[in-house]
Amino acid sequence: MASDDGSEPIPGHDPELTLPFPDAFSLDPSPTWAALRSDEPVVRVRTLTGDRVWLVTRYAEVRRVLGDQRFSRALTVAPGAPRTAVARPRAQAVTAMDPPEHTRLRKLVTKAFTHRRMQQMRPWIAETAERLAVGLADQPQPVDLRAHFALPLPILVICELLGVPPRDRPLFQQWSAQVYSMELAEREEVEADYTRLEDYIGELVAEKRRAVLAGRSTNPDLLTELTLVRDEQDTLSEEELVSLGLTLLVAGHETTANQIGSFLIALLREPDRWQRLVSDPAAIPTAVEELLRFNRLGETGQYRVAAEDVELAGVRIAAGDGVIAAIGSANRDHAAFTEPDELRLDRVDNPHLAFGHGVHHCLGAPLARVELQETLRLLTGRYPGMRLAVAPTELRWRRVLISGVAELPVTL
């Protein structure tokens, strides 16, 4: 029997699917993703806020949603738009804009994340990773690799890039972890911590401004550069400046920290994989791309709202409908990848969508690649015998937008 929107339910599945799926937040992806790709690649689902949106699961359609500007980011924050997350959407965020506004803000920070600049930062990132890796040996065994490496590394890197005092790390680390929550019961805490983050960035911008006026800013960081652009060129508002700083700070460490954890689990759950990189460090860049494809970054996907009626895989998406492009599912699509459920560390033909596609392709992709490559290079070189201290199925996953484990106990 068809549902009230005309779509047919998948045999054996709840006709009203809800995201995240009941078996989400675990080591391997829910089997529901494969069933949807096979039987109903564009399907109605309910979000955790109770709104109904379309879920897109196949590679071709996901890539189209991400690249087609008829699927809008700006409309996701319009009054009455379907909601997909606990946190209230912020209209001034660069992630909630379409061109030309998005283009204007993105151009202000693109030069800070170019491949060339990230390669210039690589030695410093490698030194930072090595310092953390050496420190692991001083911790009681087993050591929590998330707490002592996976989280500190990207935090130190983004602090260096933005000019955030490392002493403030415990504050924004706690707040940013909360704003990604997928527990509706935590809505008030999520909003409170979001406000704290905005206030923190606002005060940091004011501090950068005072330093410039007093002649104390001798080595301008990215946040100082953006503040100067705001004050001297007036090409972004104060609200946009604060939101841009917040986005870069939070996304710049949460995503990479969770990917480091997922990468290590994927390698260590089958020790031969780890040993392959131990014996062949030159294979690490290619392995990183495969690990990016293989490990899902979230339990949902990237969100858009249709700006006009669009047909997708034979389904009519109406103007104003919400659409979630499930990148993690697309990266396991048989139509795009040979043996997609196999982790093939030497996979060369690998057009994964881990960093998105189109105008919203992840700005920090060059930085993330350097951090992930240096992580594997340092850890495989220094701790070739590293292994998981618990069975992979015993790892506890956090119920947040960015998938990752709460702890990662390993023995060195």
Side-chain angles (χ1 to χ4, degrees), residues 151-302:
L151 196 54
L153 176 62
I155 286 179
L156 290 170
V157 171
I158 202 65
C159 283
E160 174 74 10
L161 195 63
L162 285 176
V164 176
R167 66 175 183 273
D168 293 342
R169 185 180 74 183
L171 289 175
F172 69 74
Q173 181 178 321
Q174 173 189 341
W175 298 333
S176 62
Q178 183 66 42
V179 300
Y180 277 134
S181 171
M182 295 190 76
E183 298 286 2
L184 206 56
E186 297 177 353
R187 175 176 283 174
E188 290 187 8
E189 298 170 49
V190 168
E191 289 298 335
D193 281 340
Y194 215 117
T195 299
R196 291 185 183 101
L197 272 169
E198 289 173 326
D199 291 344
Y200 171 76
I201 297 296
E203 178 52 38
L204 193 57
V205 166
E207 185 178 314
K208 301 289 185 185
R209 184 174 283 126
R210 289 191 293 269
V212 169
L213 292 174
R216 292 184 281 106
S217 184
T218 57
N219 186 24
D221 49 71
L222 180 55
L223 201 54
T224 297
E225 291 176 6
L226 291 171
T227 302
L228 289 171
V229 169
R230 157 68 184 150
D231 294 348
E232 297 175 0
Q233 302 177 29
D234 197 28
T235 52
L236 75 165
S237 69
E238 192 75 8
E239 292 77 13
E240 290 171 340
L241 171 58
V242 170
S243 179
L244 196 53
L246 187 154
T247 299
L248 293 171
L249 179 62
V250 175
H253 79 269
E254 278 284 344
T255 51
T256 305
N258 286 295
Q259 283 288 40
I260 289 173
S262 296
F263 278 27
L264 294 172
I265 294 165
L267 293 170
L268 294 172
R269 70 187 295 191
E270 293 188 20
D272 286 350
R273 295 171 176 170
W274 182 257
Q275 291 305 317
R276 179 169 182 174
L277 298 185
V278 167
S279 61
D280 186 12
I284 287 175
T286 300
V288 163
E289 298 306 310
E290 174 66 348
L291 287 159
L292 284 165
R293 181 199 68 82
F294 186 79
N295 290 291
R296 65 198 187 280
L297 188 59
E299 301 292 347
T300 56
Q302 288 198 13

Side-chain angles (χ1 to χ4, degrees), residues 105-162:
L105 288 187
R106 187 174 174 113
K107 283 176 66 175
L108 295 176
V109 294
T110 295
K111 65 179 181 180
F113 292 94
T114 62
H115 175 78
R116 180 180 179 182
R117 184 161 181 179
M118 291 305 99
Q119 294 308 311
Q120 292 171 343
M121 281 192 69
R122 185 185 287 270
W124 182 87
I125 293 172
E127 290 173 8
T128 304
E130 184 169 18
R131 187 168 66 251
L132 291 170
V134 170
L136 294 174
D138 298 327
Q139 298 295 329
Q141 302 293 308
V143 58
D144 181 0
L145 210 63
R146 173 177 167 80
H148 296 288
F149 187 95
L151 196 54
L153 176 62
I155 286 179
L156 290 170
V157 171
I158 202 65
C159 283
E160 174 74 10
L161 195 63
L162 285 176

Side-chain angles (χ1 to χ4, degrees), residues 4-113:
D4 58 6
D5 64 2
S7 61
E8 293 291 333
I10 297 174
H13 288 270
D14 184 342
E16 185 76 305
L17 291 170
T18 301
L19 277 181
F21 300 141
D23 52 355
F25 307 107
S26 59
L27 187 61
D28 295 311
S30 168
T32 303
W33 293 112
L36 290 172
R37 287 194 301 271
S38 173
D39 301 330
E40 199 166 4
V42 181
V43 64
R44 282 283 203 181
V45 298
R46 284 201 184 276
T47 70
L48 56 83
T49 58
D51 291 296
R52 302 186 78 214
V53 301
W54 295 100
L55 178 66
V56 182
T57 54
R58 285 183 186 164
Y59 183 94
E61 287 78 23
V62 167
R63 194 173 188 276
R64 181 180 171 193
V65 170
L66 297 177
D68 189 333
Q69 293 189 34
R70 291 178 297 175
F71 295 99
S72 166
R73 290 296 290 261
L75 290 178
T76 64
V77 296
R83 294 277 300 277
T84 63
V86 174
R88 175 177 55 85
R90 268 64 174 176
Q92 69 272 22
V94 66
T95 52
M97 293 180 176
D98 294 330
E101 290 80 10
H102 172 265
T103 308
R104 169 177 57 86
L105 288 187
R106 187 174 174 113
K107 283 176 66 175
L108 295 176
V109 294
T110 295
K111 65 179 181 180
F113 292 94

